[in-house]
Amino acid sequence: REPPEDRRRRVAPLVAAPEAEAGEESLLRGIFEIGKRSCDVVLSARRLSWKPILPETPTGDSSAVLLAQEEIIEMKDVFSVKLKRRRFAGQKRCGTLLGITIFKCMHKEENKLSDCAIHLNNQSEDHCHAWFRHLKDILNGFQNRPKSLKVFVNPISHKREAAHIYYDKVAPLFKLADISTDVTVTEYEGHALSVLKECELQAFDGMVCVGGDGSVSEIAHGLLLKAQIDAGKNTDCISTPVRAPIPLGVIPAGTTNVLAYTLCGIKHAVTAALHIILGHIQPVDVCTFSTPSKLLRFGFTAMFGFGARTLALAEKHRWMPSDQRKDFAFIKTLADLKPEDCELSFLPQPVPPEDSLENDRKKKEENIKKGSKDQWHHIQGHFLNVSIMAIPGLCSMAPRGLAPSTRLNNGSMALIVVQNTSRTEFIKHLRRYASIKNQFNFPFVETYTVQEVKVQPRLECGPGAKENTSLNAASAEGNLPWNIDGDLMKEASEVHVRVHPQLIALYGVNTDDLESSQATCSCI
């Protein structure tokens, strides 16, 4: 009998490739061993397909037909191809060629992605090299797939596991996809921002943050701030900021990971890494937060009142384990529940014109400049919480989102105002976030779709104010805390928030394409 190796070499020469399917030209056709079976393999620009080669049966056995069913993988899901060689211990180069290994992204349940390998075995050098070149050409033709990334790792986020997540789970995938990386492990608060101010953004195809919401907020702000500096903008007063030149990817390694959850539908580092590798990019709206005299920062979400006070208290107890700190701050702030006396002014979002997206964006930016006085609405009173959301804000504690009706890039913000009410009713409202019920279906909750918001606290110096908390000290100075993307900001009293359509590109998928999660949370 003919040895198996000789038989594989005998069938190795390429065969003229037929049409893969109507309207699609096949590039290559050949024979490989896949899963210990000889297969007829066909490659086109869009897909790779194979079918086991079975001997003819005079009886026409139907079971044999079932075994010969065609298998297909889409080339858009393939992120790497390597020549497979057998090497001896200590041998770094060459080695016996065994075939080709294709690495693809596999879609699993609940928005999760994983990587898997498909081995195409054939020991013919000419055969494998021809296939390898065609496969690499197809992969290089996909747009938005990064070849060089600037990576920031926050080693102290959540349970200090960011470095472990990156080096053990993400870096090997980047290396497999032939992506070069420049990694900065941050050493102090503001370290990433200082690095970004000196960074040459054009040297990279994208940027990646490994950390929690606060780390992502700092890097997104730094990336956009650097874009304004490079464009010659006055960073103290930016009415029409320029877009970030490169996309930002988020590897979740924090506590809530709102942005990562919103972009991927799940807190899963490998899923986030594969979206980056495959170049899945979404344009996302960004807010500017400013005082009358200067820009404070760029951001996606903000809370004033209960959400900000909870974060401020948690930051004061950094010495506690992250989960305990979060629960303690939540319960303590709920026990000391108090409304904020302030005035809200907002500019409602007009009905979108039937026009192109670019013209729509320009008109919205013009509206920001004009800000006609008779369009502004005003609310004055005592509010337990005020949320301003430019993105849906999905997370494990709010599977439907903190602002379910908002989208990543619809050019508007959700303004959610919770009026003063009893602690019992407020808790009912909070519990709704973790369920499928409408969390806004309460008489004390009001929601608006807006493009600008101004928040002006009205200070009280009455005898009922407590004397020994730093939060009330801040109130006396006129600077109440703000929670911006999980990052604490305390340096402002009156804050003006504007939304800027599609100001940044983030790696991930559109919210509407995510599988709806039925997860619930019992932490409240």
Side-chain angles (χ1 to χ4, degrees):
R1 290 188 56 180
E2 188 177 23
E5 290 187 6
D6 292 342
R7 188 161 63 253
R8 279 197 291 271
R9 290 192 181 96
R10 183 170 58 81
V11 299
L14 301 179
V15 184
E19 293 296 311
E21 62 178 47
E24 185 179 1
E25 181 183 357
S26 295
L27 303 174
L28 290 176
R29 182 177 183 180
I31 296 176
F32 290 90
E33 183 183 275
I34 303 176
K36 298 184 179 180
R37 304 179 71 182
S38 291
C39 296
D40 181 14
V41 186
V42 178
L43 174 67
S44 71
R46 291 176 52 206
R47 60 188 58 184
L48 180 75
S49 62
W50 64 91
K51 188 182 292 187
I53 300 173
L54 299 177
E56 294 184 4
T57 56
T59 57
D61 188 359
S62 60
S63 63
V65 175
L66 289 174
L67 289 172
Q69 285 185 341
E70 185 179 45
E71 295 189 54
I72 297 172
I73 61 173
E74 299 291 335
M75 287 304 298
K76 64 181 177 62
D77 292 330
V78 175
F79 65 89
S80 182
V81 57
K82 302 289 183 184
L83 289 171
K84 180 182 176 184
R85 296 184 182 274
R86 179 191 292 123
R87 293 190 176 100
F88 297 105
Q91 186 179 5
K92 295 182 179 180
R93 294 188 139 192
C94 298
T96 304
L97 180 68
L98 300 177
I100 297 171
T101 300
I102 292 173
F103 298 90
K104 70 178 286 282
C105 170
M106 187 166 58
H107 298 259
K108 305 182 81 172
E109 71 284 348
E110 295 182 354
N111 304 305
K112 186 179 290 187
L113 304 180
S114 66
D115 60 298
C116 67
I118 300 168
H119 303 284
L120 280 62
N121 299 318
N122 189 307
Q123 292 183 324
S124 167
E125 291 273 355
D126 292 341
H127 188 63
C128 287
H129 278 286
W131 276 76
F132 179 76
R133 285 194 301 271
H134 274 81
L135 288 164
K136 290 289 285 185
D137 287 345
I138 293 172
L139 296 188
N140 290 334
F142 287 114
Q143 294 185 348
N144 298 328
R145 294 194 177 186
K147 294 299 180 186
S148 176
L149 293 171
K150 175 63 184 175
V151 180
F152 290 94
V153 180
N154 179 4
I156 63 170
S157 66
H158 192 38
K159 298 179 180 178
R160 300 178 181 270
E161 56 190 11
H164 161 73
I165 288 173
Y166 176 72
Y167 288 110
D168 291 358
K169 297 181 179 180
V170 177
L173 289 174
F174 286 168
K175 182 178 180 181
L176 192 60
D178 298 320
I179 298 174
S180 63
T181 56
D182 179 21
V183 182
T184 296
V185 179
T186 57
E187 299 174 359
Y188 53 87
E189 185 178 354
H191 185 185
L193 186 59
S194 63
V195 171
L196 279 168
K197 287 181 179 178
E198 305 299 326
C199 182
E200 296 295 333
L201 298 181
Q202 63 270 21
F204 303 99
D205 299 320
M207 195 162 292
V208 175
C209 171
V210 187
D213 291 327
S215 303
V216 178
S217 175
E218 179 184 340
I219 292 170
H221 170 68
L223 177 59
L224 284 163
L225 193 63
K226 174 63 173 174
Q228 312 316 307
I229 294 171
D230 290 347
K233 294 271 187 177
N234 178 5
T235 55
D236 285 335
C237 181
I238 305 175
S239 59
T240 55
V242 299
R243 291 172 175 169
I246 57 175
L248 172 64
V250 182
I251 305 295
T255 306
T256 53
N257 303 286
V258 169
L259 201 56
Y261 208 108
T262 301
L263 292 164
C264 302
I266 191 171
K267 178 189 174 182
H268 189 240
V270 170
T271 297
L274 287 171
H275 281 306
I276 294 170
I277 291 168
L278 294 172
H280 296 162
I281 289 178
Q282 298 298 321
V284 179
D285 300 339
V286 180
C287 302
T288 50
F289 299 85
S290 57
T291 66
S293 59
K294 69 171 183 175
L295 171 72
L296 296 174
R297 68 183 303 137
F298 294 92
F300 304 95
T301 66
M303 291 185 188
F304 174 78
F306 178 81
R309 287 179 175 270
T310 301
L311 177 63
L313 191 58
E315 290 298 313
K316 285 183 61 183
H317 294 78
R318 272 279 174 186
W319 53 270
M320 297 175 67
S322 59
D323 290 338
Q324 293 180 22
R325 179 175 71 243
K326 182 180 68 173
D327 292 343
F328 165 78
F330 179 85
I331 294 170
K332 184 73 167 62
T333 308
L334 196 58
D336 297 335
L337 188 65
K338 56 173 287 186
E340 307 291 0
D341 185 8
C342 64
E343 180 180 342
L344 301 176
S345 305
F346 62 89
L347 193 61
Q349 175 71 6
V351 177
E354 295 181 3
D355 205 345
S356 70
L357 184 63
E358 186 62 24
N359 286 339
D360 186 27
R361 188 184 78 85
K362 288 180 179 178
K363 286 181 180 180
K364 285 170 184 172
E365 294 290 5
E366 288 172 5
N367 287 337
I368 287 174
K369 288 181 181 177
K370 295 175 186 176
S372 172
K373 293 182 180 179
D374 58 352
Q375 292 179 312
W376 284 89
H377 295 208
H378 304 275
I379 310 174
Q380 198 169 319
H382 291 78
F383 309 113
L384 290 178
N385 193 70
V386 176
S387 298
I388 303 168
M389 316 288 294
I391 61 174
L394 277 66
C395 63
S396 59
M397 293 178 291
R400 294 175 58 247
L402 299 172
S405 62
T406 308
R407 292 296 176 264
L408 291 174
N409 47 33
N410 61 357
S412 66
M413 302 179 290
L415 172 62
I416 304 163
V417 180
V418 181
Q419 303 268 6
N420 192 19
T421 187
S422 68
R423 184 181 290 105
T424 302
E425 288 298 303
F426 185 61
I427 290 174
K428 288 180 182 179
H429 161 66
L430 295 179
R431 288 180 65 89
R432 287 276 185 93
Y433 280 97
S435 72
I436 60 174
K437 295 181 179 179
N438 183 1
Q439 63 262 41
F440 308 130
N441 190 21
F442 291 94
F444 54 87
V445 180
E446 300 173 11
T447 62
Y448 306 91
T449 302
V450 302
Q451 59 183 7
E452 289 189 58
V453 180
K454 293 179 180 177
V455 181
Q456 175 64 63
R458 297 191 306 166
L459 304 180
E460 286 187 0
C461 299
K466 294 184 181 180
E467 298 178 358
N468 57 352
T469 68
S470 61
L471 293 180
N472 282 295
S475 300
E477 296 171 4
N479 295 340
L480 291 170
W482 279 76
N483 177 344
I484 299 180
D485 297 327
D487 207 8
L488 188 63
M489 185 181 72
K490 295 187 292 186
E491 63 266 29
S493 52
E494 180 182 348
V495 176
H496 187 178
V497 187
R498 295 187 180 100
V499 65
H500 303 275
Q502 304 184 17
L503 199 60
I504 195 171
L506 300 178
Y507 289 105
V509 293
N510 194 295
T511 309
D512 295 330
D513 297 331
L514 297 173
E515 294 179 19
S516 59
S517 172
Q518 299 300 319
T520 59
C521 173
S522 58
C523 63
I524 301 174

